[in-house]
Amino acid sequence: MLLAFFISKPLINSITSPEGRLEFKEWISSLGFVGKLIVIGLMALQLILAVIPGGPVQIVTGITYGVVEGTILCELGIILGSTIVFFTVRKLGRKFIYLFIKEEDIEKISFLQDEQKLNLISFVLMVIPGAPKDALTYFLGLTKMKYYVFIMISVIGRLPALIMSTMTGSSVLEGNWITALIIAISVGFV
């Protein structure tokens, strides 16, 4: 966490001025396709590690690429990360999950073993801001849920929060701090 703070502090300082926001956007844009791959990779990594919050990555993506392109890039990262987690858990099982997620957290969502309710409850949990989506991703790999159902729930369920996060970033780029704060509070980032 300290490392993340010291790395992100210059970024936060740089985006507090209109010039700094423009410089940051130009720097990321100058990376071209590589910048987009970095965003996708960061989104996948934060999902795989499950302890890294996705909100800051999504907000920076909104600053850099705007709402539409930023949301698409974040979704691609979620598809990549979710796929890796899903099939890794299918292959390695419950003991593997305990390396990343506390056993107590998994037990809290063990009620999802009821296959009749699994899809609906999983989707609702993916939509709710602040729900442990990354932990749920690990857990769903242990269920009998089919991959295509899992990925649809993951992509569609996370979409509202992704849109709001990239909107927050886009508002920051434009200097609309009040709009950014209202959006962030409404989705539980603050």
Side-chain angles (χ1 to χ4, degrees):
M1 282 202 242
L2 286 173
L3 181 61
F5 172 76
F6 286 112
I7 290 172
S8 64
K9 191 170 180 347
L11 169 64
I12 292 167
N13 290 339
S14 75
I15 63 171
T16 57
S17 72
E19 299 82 19
R21 289 189 297 272
L22 188 59
E23 260 180 53
F24 177 76
K25 181 177 177 166
E26 288 173 359
W27 175 72
I28 291 289
S29 295
S30 73
L31 297 175
F33 187 70
V34 171
K36 294 175 184 182
L37 291 177
I38 290 171
V39 167
I40 293 168
L42 285 174
M43 280 303 300
L45 182 65
Q46 74 79 32
L47 196 145
I48 292 166
L49 295 180
V51 295
I52 300 172
V57 176
Q58 297 160 15
I59 290 170
V60 169
T61 303
I63 290 172
T64 307
Y65 296 105
V67 177
V68 175
E69 189 174 11
T71 300
I72 291 168
L73 292 171
C74 288
E75 283 284 23
L76 290 172
I78 284 171
I79 290 169
L80 176 62
S82 296
T83 301
I84 291 169
V85 167
F86 186 82
F87 287 113
T88 302
V89 168
R90 285 271 164 104
K91 181 81 173 154
L92 301 177
R94 192 172 283 269
K95 288 183 181 179
F96 173 73
I97 290 178
Y98 296 151
L99 295 173
F100 300 96
I101 311 288
K102 292 182 212 164
E103 188 173 350
E104 304 86 55
D105 291 340
I106 295 296
E107 295 309 317
K108 287 178 188 175
I109 55 177
S110 63
F111 66 90
L112 289 175
Q113 290 295 344
D114 180 348
E115 289 184 51
Q116 293 177 345
K117 298 177 185 174
L118 180 63
N119 294 351
L120 176 62
I121 293 172
S122 298
F123 178 75
V124 169
L125 288 173
M126 286 289 182
V127 172
I128 295 173
K133 295 169 182 64
D134 297 341
L136 180 62
T137 299
Y138 275 86
F139 175 80
L140 292 176
L142 293 174
T143 69
K144 294 180 181 179
M145 182 181 282
K146 300 213 180 310
Y147 171 73
Y148 73 90
V149 173
F150 162 77
I151 210 68
M152 291 301 292
I153 287 171
S154 208
V155 168
I156 295 169
R158 290 176 184 254
L159 187 60
L162 283 177
I163 291 170
M164 297 302 274
S165 296
T166 55
M167 282 175 69
T168 300
S170 183
S171 296
V172 166
L173 179 65
E174 296 165 5
N176 296 331
W177 293 99
I178 299 207
T179 302
L181 184 61
I182 290 169
I183 294 169
I185 289 171
S186 71
V187 294
F189 289 132
V190 178

